[in-house]
Amino acid sequence: MEWHTILGSIVIVYFLLVLIFHKVFPEIHYQWDSIDTNKTQFPENFTWGVATAAHQIEGGNNNNWTEFEIRENKELSGDACDHWNRWASDHDLLTELGVDSYRFSIEWSRIEPQEGAWDESAIRVYSAMIDSLIAKGIEPMITLHHFSHPAWFEEKGGFYRRENISYFTNYCAKIFPYFCDRVKKWCTVNEPDVFAIMGYHMGMFPPGKRSPFKAIRVMKNVMVAHGDVYHQLKQLQPNAYIGLAKNVTIFDPYRRWNLLHWLTTFALNYIWNGAIISALKNGRMYGTSVKHVKCSADFIGLNYYTHVLTSPFLPQTTEIDLPARKHEIVTEFGYPMYAEGLERAVKWLEKLNIPIEITENGVADANDELRPKHLKRHLWIIAKLIRQGSDIRSYYHWSLMDNFEWAEGYTMRFGLYRVDYSNQSRTIRKSGQAYQKVIAHHKQQNPN
Ligand code: GCO
Protein backbone atom coordinates (compact mmCIF):
# COMPACT_ATOMS: atom_id res chain seq x y z
CA MET A 1 0.00 0.00 0.00
CA GLU A 2 1.17 3.48 -0.81
CA TRP A 3 1.89 5.78 2.16
CA HIS A 4 -0.86 8.21 1.22
CA THR A 5 -3.40 5.35 1.11
CA ILE A 6 -2.33 4.31 4.62
CA LEU A 7 -2.51 7.88 5.84
CA GLY A 8 -5.89 8.33 4.17
CA SER A 9 -7.25 5.20 5.86
CA ILE A 10 -6.00 6.36 9.25
CA VAL A 11 -7.69 9.72 8.81
CA ILE A 12 -10.95 8.07 7.74
CA VAL A 13 -10.93 5.62 10.67
CA TYR A 14 -10.08 8.47 13.08
CA PHE A 15 -13.00 10.62 11.96
CA LEU A 16 -15.36 7.67 11.75
CA LEU A 17 -14.58 6.76 15.35
CA VAL A 18 -14.96 10.33 16.53
CA LEU A 19 -18.26 10.61 14.66
CA ILE A 20 -19.58 7.40 16.21
CA PHE A 21 -18.56 8.48 19.73
CA HIS A 22 -20.09 11.89 19.12
CA LYS A 23 -23.43 10.32 18.19
CA VAL A 24 -23.48 7.50 20.73
CA PHE A 25 -22.35 9.61 23.71
CA PRO A 26 -24.04 12.98 23.35
CA GLU A 27 -23.31 15.74 25.85
CA ILE A 28 -26.80 17.04 26.46
CA HIS A 29 -27.40 20.71 27.19
CA TYR A 30 -30.84 22.19 27.74
CA GLN A 31 -32.03 25.66 26.85
CA TRP A 32 -32.71 26.56 30.46
CA ASP A 33 -34.10 29.98 29.56
CA SER A 34 -37.04 28.35 27.90
CA ILE A 35 -37.76 25.93 30.74
CA ASP A 36 -39.98 26.78 33.70
CA THR A 37 -38.14 24.96 36.46
CA ASN A 38 -40.88 25.85 38.93
CA LYS A 39 -43.18 23.42 37.22
CA THR A 40 -42.29 20.16 38.89
CA GLN A 41 -44.26 17.35 40.36
CA PHE A 42 -43.02 14.56 42.59
CA PRO A 43 -44.62 11.31 43.66
CA GLU A 44 -46.62 11.37 46.86
CA ASN A 45 -44.10 9.34 48.87
CA PHE A 46 -41.01 11.17 47.60
CA THR A 47 -38.52 11.79 50.42
CA TRP A 48 -37.08 15.27 50.96
CA GLY A 49 -33.86 15.50 52.89
CA VAL A 50 -30.60 17.22 53.63
CA ALA A 51 -27.19 15.69 54.28
CA THR A 52 -24.12 16.32 56.42
CA ALA A 53 -21.10 14.35 57.59
CA ALA A 54 -19.67 14.04 61.10
CA HIS A 55 -16.19 15.43 60.59
CA GLN A 56 -17.52 18.39 58.63
CA ILE A 57 -19.87 19.62 61.34
CA GLU A 58 -19.21 18.08 64.76
CA GLY A 59 -16.00 19.79 65.81
CA GLY A 60 -13.47 18.54 68.37
CA ASN A 61 -12.63 15.40 66.44
CA ASN A 62 -9.46 13.43 66.63
CA ASN A 63 -9.05 11.24 63.57
CA ASN A 64 -7.13 10.70 60.32
CA TRP A 65 -8.31 14.09 59.10
CA THR A 66 -7.30 16.14 62.13
CA GLU A 67 -3.82 14.60 61.91
CA PHE A 68 -3.62 15.34 58.19
CA GLU A 69 -4.80 18.93 58.67
CA ILE A 70 -1.93 19.55 61.08
CA ARG A 71 0.71 17.64 59.13
CA GLU A 72 -0.13 19.31 55.83
CA ASN A 73 -0.59 22.75 57.30
CA LYS A 74 -4.19 22.90 56.13
CA GLU A 75 -6.99 24.90 57.60
CA LEU A 76 -7.96 23.05 60.78
CA SER A 77 -11.44 21.63 61.16
CA GLY A 78 -11.31 22.71 64.82
CA ASP A 79 -14.74 23.39 66.27
CA ALA A 80 -16.41 23.09 62.85
CA CYS A 81 -20.11 23.90 63.42
CA ASP A 82 -19.86 22.71 67.03
CA HIS A 83 -22.65 20.35 66.13
CA TRP A 84 -21.54 17.86 68.79
CA ASN A 85 -22.84 20.35 71.36
CA ARG A 86 -25.54 21.96 69.27
CA TRP A 87 -27.15 19.01 67.56
CA ALA A 88 -30.47 19.44 69.32
CA SER A 89 -30.96 22.99 68.05
CA ASP A 90 -29.61 21.96 64.64
CA HIS A 91 -32.37 19.38 64.48
CA ASP A 92 -34.80 22.28 64.81
CA LEU A 93 -33.43 23.60 61.52
CA LEU A 94 -34.50 20.36 59.90
CA THR A 95 -38.00 20.87 61.19
CA GLU A 96 -37.93 24.42 59.96
CA LEU A 97 -37.04 23.23 56.47
CA GLY A 98 -39.74 20.59 56.63
CA VAL A 99 -37.57 17.67 55.50
CA ASP A 100 -38.69 14.06 55.88
CA SER A 101 -35.24 12.60 56.31
CA TYR A 102 -31.72 13.54 57.41
CA ARG A 103 -28.55 11.87 56.21
CA PHE A 104 -25.65 12.16 58.64
CA SER A 105 -22.63 10.10 59.55
CA ILE A 106 -21.33 8.47 62.68
CA GLU A 107 -17.74 9.22 63.60
CA TRP A 108 -15.91 5.94 64.09
CA SER A 109 -13.07 7.68 65.97
CA ARG A 110 -15.54 8.78 68.66
CA ILE A 111 -16.98 5.30 69.05
CA GLU A 112 -13.65 3.45 69.04
CA PRO A 113 -10.99 6.05 69.91
CA GLN A 114 -8.45 3.28 70.57
CA GLU A 115 -8.44 -0.11 68.96
CA GLY A 116 -10.97 -2.28 70.76
CA ALA A 117 -11.84 0.44 73.33
CA TRP A 118 -15.44 1.47 72.90
CA ASP A 119 -16.81 4.75 74.14
CA GLU A 120 -20.34 4.00 75.25
CA SER A 121 -21.03 7.66 76.01
CA ALA A 122 -20.47 8.56 72.33
CA ILE A 123 -22.84 5.78 71.32
CA ARG A 124 -25.41 7.27 73.68
CA VAL A 125 -25.09 10.69 72.04
CA TYR A 126 -25.75 9.26 68.58
CA SER A 127 -28.59 7.27 70.02
CA ALA A 128 -30.10 10.45 71.45
CA MET A 129 -29.72 12.13 68.05
CA ILE A 130 -31.68 9.30 66.46
CA ASP A 131 -34.42 9.57 69.07
CA SER A 132 -34.61 13.32 68.57
CA LEU A 133 -35.02 12.93 64.82
CA ILE A 134 -37.68 10.27 65.16
CA ALA A 135 -39.59 12.38 67.68
CA LYS A 136 -39.64 15.13 65.07
CA GLY A 137 -40.93 12.76 62.41
CA ILE A 138 -37.61 12.87 60.52
CA GLU A 139 -36.21 9.61 59.26
CA PRO A 140 -32.49 9.11 59.92
CA MET A 141 -30.20 7.81 57.18
CA ILE A 142 -26.82 6.92 58.62
CA THR A 143 -23.49 6.81 56.81
CA LEU A 144 -21.02 4.50 58.51
CA HIS A 145 -17.88 5.87 56.87
CA HIS A 146 -17.76 9.39 55.48
CA PHE A 147 -14.05 9.94 54.76
CA SER A 148 -12.93 10.00 58.41
CA HIS A 149 -11.76 7.18 60.68
CA PRO A 150 -9.63 6.69 63.80
CA ALA A 151 -5.97 7.67 63.66
CA TRP A 152 -4.99 4.17 64.88
CA PHE A 153 -6.74 2.65 61.87
CA GLU A 154 -4.89 5.03 59.56
CA GLU A 155 -1.59 4.09 61.21
CA LYS A 156 -2.23 0.46 60.40
CA GLY A 157 -2.55 1.43 56.74
CA GLY A 158 -6.31 2.06 56.67
CA PHE A 159 -8.13 0.64 53.68
CA TYR A 160 -4.87 0.25 51.80
CA ARG A 161 -4.48 -3.14 53.48
CA ARG A 162 -7.10 -5.75 52.76
CA GLU A 163 -6.56 -7.35 56.18
CA ASN A 164 -7.62 -4.09 57.88
CA ILE A 165 -11.16 -4.32 56.56
CA SER A 166 -12.18 -6.43 59.55
CA TYR A 167 -11.57 -3.43 61.86
CA PHE A 168 -14.24 -1.57 59.94
CA THR A 169 -16.67 -4.49 59.88
CA ASN A 170 -16.15 -4.96 63.65
CA TYR A 171 -17.02 -1.34 64.28
CA CYS A 172 -20.13 -1.62 62.12
CA ALA A 173 -21.18 -4.85 63.87
CA LYS A 174 -20.65 -3.16 67.22
CA ILE A 175 -22.87 -0.14 66.64
CA PHE A 176 -25.51 -1.61 64.37
CA PRO A 177 -27.43 -3.46 67.13
CA TYR A 178 -27.72 -0.21 69.11
CA PHE A 179 -29.45 1.60 66.28
CA CYS A 180 -31.02 -0.85 63.86
CA ASP A 181 -34.29 -1.03 65.78
CA ARG A 182 -34.84 2.64 64.93
CA VAL A 183 -32.82 3.21 61.77
CA LYS A 184 -33.70 1.50 58.52
CA LYS A 185 -31.62 3.41 55.95
CA TRP A 186 -27.86 2.92 55.90
CA CYS A 187 -25.04 4.05 53.65
CA THR A 188 -22.04 1.85 54.31
CA VAL A 189 -19.41 4.09 52.77
CA ASN A 190 -19.40 7.50 51.17
CA GLU A 191 -17.82 7.87 47.74
CA PRO A 192 -15.19 5.12 47.49
CA ASP A 193 -14.05 6.92 44.30
CA VAL A 194 -13.41 10.36 45.87
CA PHE A 195 -11.98 8.82 49.03
CA ALA A 196 -9.45 6.71 47.11
CA ILE A 197 -8.51 9.14 44.37
CA MET A 198 -8.22 12.24 46.54
CA GLY A 199 -6.34 10.38 49.27
CA TYR A 200 -4.10 8.08 47.27
CA HIS A 201 -3.70 9.66 43.86
CA MET A 202 -4.19 13.41 44.20
CA GLY A 203 -2.74 13.65 47.68
CA MET A 204 -5.39 16.12 48.80
CA PHE A 205 -7.07 13.92 51.41
CA PRO A 206 -5.33 11.80 54.04
CA PRO A 207 -3.05 9.97 53.82
CA GLY A 208 -1.84 12.31 51.04
CA LYS A 209 -0.38 9.68 48.73
CA ARG A 210 0.19 10.11 45.01
CA SER A 211 -0.11 6.89 43.11
CA PRO A 212 -2.94 5.87 40.74
CA PHE A 213 -2.20 2.21 41.53
CA LYS A 214 -2.63 2.78 45.22
CA ALA A 215 -5.88 4.63 44.56
CA ILE A 216 -7.26 1.74 42.53
CA ARG A 217 -6.28 -0.73 45.20
CA VAL A 218 -7.95 1.35 47.92
CA MET A 219 -11.11 1.79 45.87
CA LYS A 220 -11.32 -1.94 45.46
CA ASN A 221 -10.74 -2.57 49.15
CA VAL A 222 -13.41 -0.05 50.10
CA MET A 223 -15.86 -1.86 47.81
CA VAL A 224 -14.90 -5.17 49.41
CA ALA A 225 -15.49 -3.54 52.82
CA HIS A 226 -18.86 -2.33 51.62
CA GLY A 227 -19.80 -5.86 50.50
CA ASP A 228 -18.69 -7.36 53.82
CA VAL A 229 -20.63 -4.83 55.86
CA TYR A 230 -23.70 -5.20 53.68
CA HIS A 231 -23.94 -8.96 54.20
CA GLN A 232 -23.09 -8.73 57.85
CA LEU A 233 -25.74 -6.09 58.58
CA LYS A 234 -28.34 -7.89 56.50
CA GLN A 235 -27.86 -10.96 58.64
CA LEU A 236 -28.42 -8.94 61.78
CA GLN A 237 -31.44 -7.14 60.38
CA PRO A 238 -32.87 -8.44 57.10
CA ASN A 239 -35.23 -5.46 56.82
CA ALA A 240 -32.45 -2.89 56.83
CA TYR A 241 -32.21 -0.87 53.64
CA ILE A 242 -28.52 -0.67 52.85
CA GLY A 243 -26.57 0.93 50.06
CA LEU A 244 -23.60 3.18 49.47
CA ALA A 245 -23.20 6.75 48.29
CA LYS A 246 -21.55 6.89 44.89
CA ASN A 247 -20.20 10.11 43.51
CA VAL A 248 -20.93 10.08 39.82
CA THR A 249 -18.78 12.62 38.05
CA ILE A 250 -19.43 12.58 34.33
CA PHE A 251 -16.34 12.87 32.15
CA ASP A 252 -16.79 14.44 28.73
CA PRO A 253 -14.12 15.06 26.09
CA TYR A 254 -12.97 18.67 26.18
CA ARG A 255 -12.75 18.67 22.38
CA ARG A 256 -15.28 16.37 20.88
CA TRP A 257 -13.27 15.89 17.67
CA ASN A 258 -10.11 14.85 19.47
CA LEU A 259 -9.75 11.08 19.75
CA LEU A 260 -7.21 11.42 22.56
CA HIS A 261 -9.75 13.35 24.61
CA TRP A 262 -12.29 10.61 23.97
CA LEU A 263 -9.87 7.89 25.06
CA THR A 264 -9.04 9.75 28.28
CA THR A 265 -12.76 10.24 28.85
CA PHE A 266 -13.47 6.52 28.49
CA ALA A 267 -10.63 5.61 30.82
CA LEU A 268 -11.69 8.07 33.52
CA ASN A 269 -15.34 7.16 33.26
CA TYR A 270 -14.40 3.55 33.81
CA ILE A 271 -11.96 4.19 36.68
CA TRP A 272 -14.30 6.58 38.47
CA ASN A 273 -17.77 5.20 37.70
CA GLY A 274 -17.75 2.06 35.58
CA ALA A 275 -15.58 -0.04 37.87
CA ILE A 276 -17.86 0.49 40.88
CA ILE A 277 -21.00 -0.14 38.88
CA SER A 278 -19.43 -3.29 37.48
CA ALA A 279 -18.49 -4.46 41.01
CA LEU A 280 -22.11 -4.10 42.13
CA LYS A 281 -23.59 -5.55 38.97
CA ASN A 282 -21.17 -8.31 37.98
CA GLY A 283 -18.88 -8.78 40.98
CA ARG A 284 -15.90 -7.73 38.90
CA MET A 285 -13.73 -4.66 39.23
CA TYR A 286 -10.53 -3.68 37.43
CA GLY A 287 -10.31 -7.15 35.94
CA THR A 288 -10.53 -9.08 39.22
CA SER A 289 -13.35 -10.74 41.05
CA VAL A 290 -15.11 -9.17 44.02
CA LYS A 291 -17.85 -11.76 44.03
CA HIS A 292 -19.64 -10.90 47.24
CA VAL A 293 -19.96 -7.26 46.16
CA LYS A 294 -22.34 -8.34 43.40
CA CYS A 295 -25.90 -7.35 44.33
CA SER A 296 -24.75 -6.01 47.70
CA ALA A 297 -26.98 -2.93 47.65
CA ASP A 298 -30.69 -2.40 48.23
CA PHE A 299 -30.32 1.06 46.73
CA ILE A 300 -27.64 3.14 45.13
CA GLY A 301 -26.99 6.55 46.61
CA LEU A 302 -26.07 9.16 44.03
CA ASN A 303 -23.92 12.15 44.94
CA TYR A 304 -23.95 14.40 41.93
CA TYR A 305 -22.10 17.68 41.43
CA THR A 306 -20.67 18.19 37.95
CA HIS A 307 -19.08 16.95 34.74
CA VAL A 308 -15.39 17.26 33.95
CA LEU A 309 -14.20 18.23 30.48
CA THR A 310 -11.38 15.85 29.90
CA SER A 311 -8.09 15.88 28.07
CA PRO A 312 -4.83 14.06 28.76
CA PHE A 313 -3.66 17.24 30.52
CA LEU A 314 -6.37 17.30 33.15
CA PRO A 315 -5.21 19.22 36.26
CA GLN A 316 -4.33 16.91 39.16
CA THR A 317 -5.66 19.25 41.83
CA THR A 318 -8.96 20.89 42.70
CA GLU A 319 -7.22 24.17 43.40
CA ILE A 320 -7.59 25.56 39.89
CA ASP A 321 -10.70 26.02 37.81
CA LEU A 322 -11.62 23.19 35.51
CA PRO A 323 -12.51 23.93 31.90
CA ALA A 324 -16.17 24.68 31.17
CA ARG A 325 -18.31 25.13 28.06
CA LYS A 326 -18.73 28.78 27.05
CA HIS A 327 -22.33 29.04 28.21
CA GLU A 328 -21.77 27.21 31.50
CA ILE A 329 -21.66 28.95 34.85
CA VAL A 330 -18.54 28.04 36.84
CA THR A 331 -19.32 27.51 40.52
CA GLU A 332 -17.12 28.72 43.36
CA PHE A 333 -15.52 25.29 43.59
CA GLY A 334 -14.17 25.83 40.08
CA TYR A 335 -16.30 23.28 38.27
CA PRO A 336 -19.31 24.07 36.08
CA MET A 337 -22.98 23.84 37.02
CA TYR A 338 -24.29 21.08 34.76
CA ALA A 339 -27.68 19.80 35.92
CA GLU A 340 -28.05 17.74 32.76
CA GLY A 341 -25.30 15.49 34.13
CA LEU A 342 -27.65 14.37 36.89
CA GLU A 343 -29.89 12.91 34.20
CA ARG A 344 -26.95 11.08 32.64
CA ALA A 345 -25.75 9.85 36.04
CA VAL A 346 -29.19 8.42 36.82
CA LYS A 347 -29.35 6.67 33.44
CA TRP A 348 -26.01 5.13 34.17
CA LEU A 349 -26.94 3.92 37.65
CA GLU A 350 -30.20 2.49 36.34
CA LYS A 351 -28.13 -0.37 34.96
CA LEU A 352 -28.14 -1.68 38.52
CA ASN A 353 -31.94 -2.05 38.59
CA ILE A 354 -32.26 -0.90 42.17
CA PRO A 355 -33.86 2.22 43.64
CA ILE A 356 -31.86 5.43 43.43
CA GLU A 357 -31.56 7.79 46.37
CA ILE A 358 -30.01 11.16 45.57
CA THR A 359 -27.83 11.23 48.68
CA GLU A 360 -26.06 14.51 47.80
CA ASN A 361 -26.39 17.46 45.46
CA GLY A 362 -25.58 21.09 46.07
CA VAL A 363 -23.24 23.94 45.29
CA ALA A 364 -20.59 26.08 46.95
CA ASP A 365 -22.03 29.58 46.81
CA ALA A 366 -21.23 31.92 49.70
CA ASN A 367 -23.58 34.68 48.56
CA ASP A 368 -26.38 32.35 47.58
CA GLU A 369 -26.63 33.88 44.13
CA LEU A 370 -26.57 30.64 42.23
CA ARG A 371 -27.95 28.09 44.68
CA PRO A 372 -31.68 28.83 44.17
CA LYS A 373 -31.28 28.29 40.43
CA HIS A 374 -29.01 25.31 40.95
CA LEU A 375 -31.56 23.68 43.22
CA LYS A 376 -34.48 24.30 40.85
CA ARG A 377 -32.66 22.94 37.82
CA HIS A 378 -31.63 19.75 39.55
CA LEU A 379 -35.09 19.19 40.99
CA TRP A 380 -36.58 19.78 37.57
CA ILE A 381 -34.32 17.06 36.14
CA ILE A 382 -35.33 14.65 38.92
CA ALA A 383 -39.05 15.30 38.40
CA LYS A 384 -38.63 14.75 34.67
CA LEU A 385 -36.77 11.48 35.18
CA ILE A 386 -39.38 10.18 37.60
CA ARG A 387 -42.13 11.09 35.11
CA GLN A 388 -40.26 9.08 32.51
CA GLY A 389 -40.08 6.06 34.80
CA SER A 390 -36.87 6.36 36.84
CA ASP A 391 -37.07 4.92 40.32
CA ILE A 392 -35.70 7.90 42.26
CA ARG A 393 -36.96 7.85 45.82
CA SER A 394 -35.39 10.85 47.50
CA TYR A 395 -33.37 14.03 47.28
CA TYR A 396 -30.89 14.99 50.02
CA HIS A 397 -29.51 18.47 49.54
CA TRP A 398 -25.85 18.98 50.40
CA SER A 399 -25.81 20.57 52.85
CA LEU A 400 -27.96 21.60 55.77
CA MET A 401 -25.46 24.28 56.76
CA ASP A 402 -22.01 25.59 55.81
CA ASN A 403 -19.30 23.30 57.08
CA PHE A 404 -15.70 22.12 56.87
CA GLU A 405 -15.15 21.32 53.20
CA TRP A 406 -12.19 18.94 53.51
CA ALA A 407 -9.17 20.09 51.47
CA GLU A 408 -10.86 23.45 50.87
CA GLY A 409 -11.43 24.14 54.55
CA TYR A 410 -14.08 26.72 55.39
CA THR A 411 -13.80 28.67 52.14
CA MET A 412 -16.51 26.67 50.38
CA ARG A 413 -20.00 27.28 51.69
CA PHE A 414 -22.56 24.66 50.74
CA GLY A 415 -25.25 25.41 53.33
CA LEU A 416 -28.94 26.11 53.04
CA TYR A 417 -28.12 27.84 56.31
CA ARG A 418 -25.25 30.26 56.57
CA VAL A 419 -22.98 29.62 59.54
CA ASP A 420 -21.22 32.51 61.19
CA TYR A 421 -18.25 30.69 62.71
CA SER A 422 -17.43 33.55 65.07
CA ASN A 423 -20.58 32.95 67.09
CA GLN A 424 -21.97 29.74 65.58
CA SER A 425 -25.21 31.38 64.53
CA ARG A 426 -27.15 29.79 61.68
CA THR A 427 -29.20 31.90 59.27
CA ILE A 428 -31.43 30.51 56.61
CA ARG A 429 -30.47 31.52 53.08
CA LYS A 430 -32.82 32.40 50.22
CA SER A 431 -32.16 28.96 48.80
CA GLY A 432 -33.12 27.43 52.15
CA GLN A 433 -36.42 29.24 51.91
CA ALA A 434 -36.83 28.10 48.32
CA TYR A 435 -36.30 24.48 49.38
CA GLN A 436 -38.70 24.98 52.27
CA LYS A 437 -41.31 26.18 49.78
CA VAL A 438 -40.79 23.28 47.41
CA ILE A 439 -41.29 20.83 50.26
CA ALA A 440 -44.31 22.68 51.66
CA HIS A 441 -45.92 22.84 48.22
CA HIS A 442 -45.37 19.12 47.73
CA LYS A 443 -46.96 18.38 51.10
CA GLN A 444 -49.91 20.61 50.34
CA GLN A 445 -50.56 18.69 47.16
CA ASN A 446 -50.15 15.36 48.92
CA PRO A 447 -51.76 15.68 52.34
CA ASN A 448 -50.93 12.72 54.65
C1 GCO B 1 -18.05 14.77 48.86
C2 GCO B 1 -18.61 14.57 50.19
C3 GCO B 1 -19.08 15.79 50.89
C4 GCO B 1 -18.65 17.12 50.33
C5 GCO B 1 -19.59 17.58 49.26
C6 GCO B 1 -19.26 18.93 48.68
O1 GCO B 1 -18.75 14.63 47.87
O2 GCO B 1 -16.88 15.08 48.75
O3 GCO B 1 -19.55 13.58 50.26
O4 GCO B 1 -18.55 15.54 52.14
O5 GCO B 1 -18.59 18.07 51.30
O6 GCO B 1 -19.59 16.67 48.22
O7 GCO B 1 -18.08 18.90 47.96
Side-chain angles (χ1 to χ4, degrees):
M1 241 197 287
E2 301 262 342
W3 68 266
H4 53 268
T5 325
I6 299 176
L7 199 69
S9 318
I10 293 175
V11 171
I12 290 171
V13 170
Y14 181 101
F15 281 106
L16 254 178
L17 277 178
V18 172
L19 197 72
I20 292 169
F21 296 155
H22 192 81
K23 289 272 172 227
V24 178
F25 306 106
E27 182 184 315
I28 51 170
H29 286 276
Y30 292 134
Q31 296 293 331
W32 288 105
D33 291 344
S34 58
I35 293 175
D36 182 357
T37 53
N38 284 315
K39 281 209 181 114
T40 51
Q41 210 164 4
F42 292 85
E44 192 181 339
N45 53 358
F46 190 77
T47 299
W48 301 99
V50 285
T52 62
H55 185 66
Q56 297 182 269
I57 60 171
E58 285 180 354
N61 275 331
N62 182 5
N63 56 27
N64 60 327
W65 262 92
T66 42
E67 297 210 328
F68 180 73
E69 290 154 29
I70 297 168
R71 197 176 70 229
E72 299 289 315
N73 224 348
K74 299 247 174 214
E75 185 164 17
L76 304 181
S77 52
D79 289 340
C81 306
D82 193 31
H83 177 75
W84 189 248
N85 298 309
R86 294 168 194 261
W87 59 266
S89 50
D90 285 340
H91 285 182
D92 292 339
L93 307 179
L94 301 169
T95 305
E96 187 175 34
L97 286 176
V99 293
D100 308 300
S101 182
Y102 175 47
R103 173 176 175 238
F104 64 105
S105 76
I106 288 189
E107 179 61 37
W108 178 6
S109 63
R110 284 191 190 272
I111 308 272
E112 193 182 4
Q114 301 302 329
E115 184 188 341
W118 304 98
D119 184 345
E120 299 288 335
S121 67
I123 299 182
R124 278 197 296 277
V125 174
Y126 286 115
S127 187
M129 287 184 191
I130 293 167
D131 283 341
S132 143
L133 292 171
I134 292 171
K136 289 172 170 301
I138 297 169
E139 190 179 21
M141 176 192 256
I142 294 185
T143 309
L144 288 160
H145 186 280
H146 195 127
F147 296 167
S148 56
H149 49 235
W152 61 262
F153 178 71
E154 188 84 327
E155 261 159 48
K156 286 178 187 290
F159 285 107
Y160 184 66
R161 298 197 180 286
R162 182 71 61 102
E163 61 271 25
N164 286 350
I165 291 175
S166 59
Y167 293 109
F168 179 58
T169 49
N170 281 350
Y171 145 72
C172 295
K174 167 81 184 175
I175 58 169
F176 196 67
Y178 286 89
F179 305 143
C180 71
D181 55 333
R182 290 162 291 159
V183 180
K184 186 160 183 246
K185 294 183 174 168
W186 297 84
C187 286
T188 53
V189 291
N190 181 66
E191 303 185 346
D193 32 72
V194 172
F195 174 77
I197 290 174
M198 295 292 279
Y200 291 83
H201 172 56
M202 290 171 67
M204 297 181 71
F205 281 14
K209 302 268 188 269
R210 286 187 160 272
S211 149
F213 303 105
K214 285 189 175 155
I216 282 175
R217 171 168 160 171
V218 168
M219 213 192 289
K220 203 150 81 186
N221 283 347
V222 173
M223 286 308 289
V224 169
H226 156 79
D228 288 354
V229 170
Y230 176 85
H231 294 295
Q232 172 183 300
L233 301 190
K234 273 299 210 197
Q235 258 177 13
L236 291 169
Q237 176 58 274
N239 291 333
Y241 181 65
I242 308 170
L244 64 103
K246 161 89 192 88
N247 173 300
V248 177
T249 294
I250 307 270
F251 294 92
D252 280 314
Y254 179 52
R255 295 198 193 286
R256 293 184 66 83
W257 46 261
N258 187 321
L259 194 57
L260 263 185
H261 293 198
W262 276 105
L263 296 180
T264 323
T265 296
F266 291 142
L268 290 177
N269 269 326
Y270 175 72
I271 293 172
W272 192 283
N273 304 309
I276 290 177
I277 294 170
S278 151
L280 291 167
K281 194 171 164 59
N282 314 312
R284 293 196 70 76
M285 191 175 182
Y286 301 124
T288 51
S289 163
V290 280
K291 256 198 209 131
H292 71 297
V293 179
K294 183 174 172 177
C295 300
S296 65
D298 304 321
F299 70 87
I300 183 77
L302 167 57
N303 293 0
Y304 176 74
Y305 289 92
T306 194
H307 72 154
V308 172
L309 301 180
T310 308
S311 73
F313 310 105
L314 201 63
Q316 298 296 307
T317 169
T318 57
E319 275 154 16
I320 48 174
D321 282 6
L322 288 166
R325 300 294 179 214
K326 269 202 201 83
H327 70 278
E328 284 180 335
I329 299 170
V330 176
T331 69
E332 275 167 25
F333 216 115
Y335 49 67
M337 165 163 82
Y338 178 58
E340 295 88 333
L342 177 58
E343 178 168 335
R344 295 167 65 194
V346 165
K347 296 276 175 222
W348 207 342
L349 294 183
E350 276 176 346
K351 290 184 192 162
L352 294 172
N353 272 322
I354 48 178
I356 296 172
E357 311 278 348
I358 312 283
T359 35
E360 276 180 40
N361 172 244
V363 63
D365 181 25
N367 296 327
D368 207 40
E369 277 152 10
L370 186 58
R371 193 175 292 102
K373 188 188 267 184
H374 186 279
L375 177 71
K376 290 284 170 74
R377 284 191 186 178
H378 287 81
L379 290 180
W380 184 85
I381 295 276
I382 295 169
K384 166 175 176 276
L385 286 167
I386 295 176
R387 207 172 52 238
Q388 294 169 350
S390 294
D391 188 6
I392 306 173
R393 307 266 174 104
S394 63
Y395 175 80
Y396 291 82
H397 190 83
W398 184 273
S399 182
L400 169 64
M401 56 188 160
D402 295 339
N403 56 47
F404 177 72
E405 179 56 29
W406 310 113
E408 280 71 27
Y410 289 101
T411 50
M412 296 298 152
R413 291 178 175 266
F414 276 88
L416 293 173
Y417 284 81
R418 178 176 189 280
V419 175
D420 180 341
Y421 295 105
S422 70
N423 59 13
Q424 291 294 354
S425 63
R426 284 77 157 125
T427 316
I428 193 161
R429 291 197 164 105
K430 255 191 349 249
S431 50
Q433 287 164 340
Y435 192 38
Q436 214 174 27
K437 265 201 202 129
V438 170
I439 300 173
H441 178 70
H442 174 83
K443 299 212 160 147
Q444 235 168 31
Q445 288 189 321
N446 303 282
N448 307 315

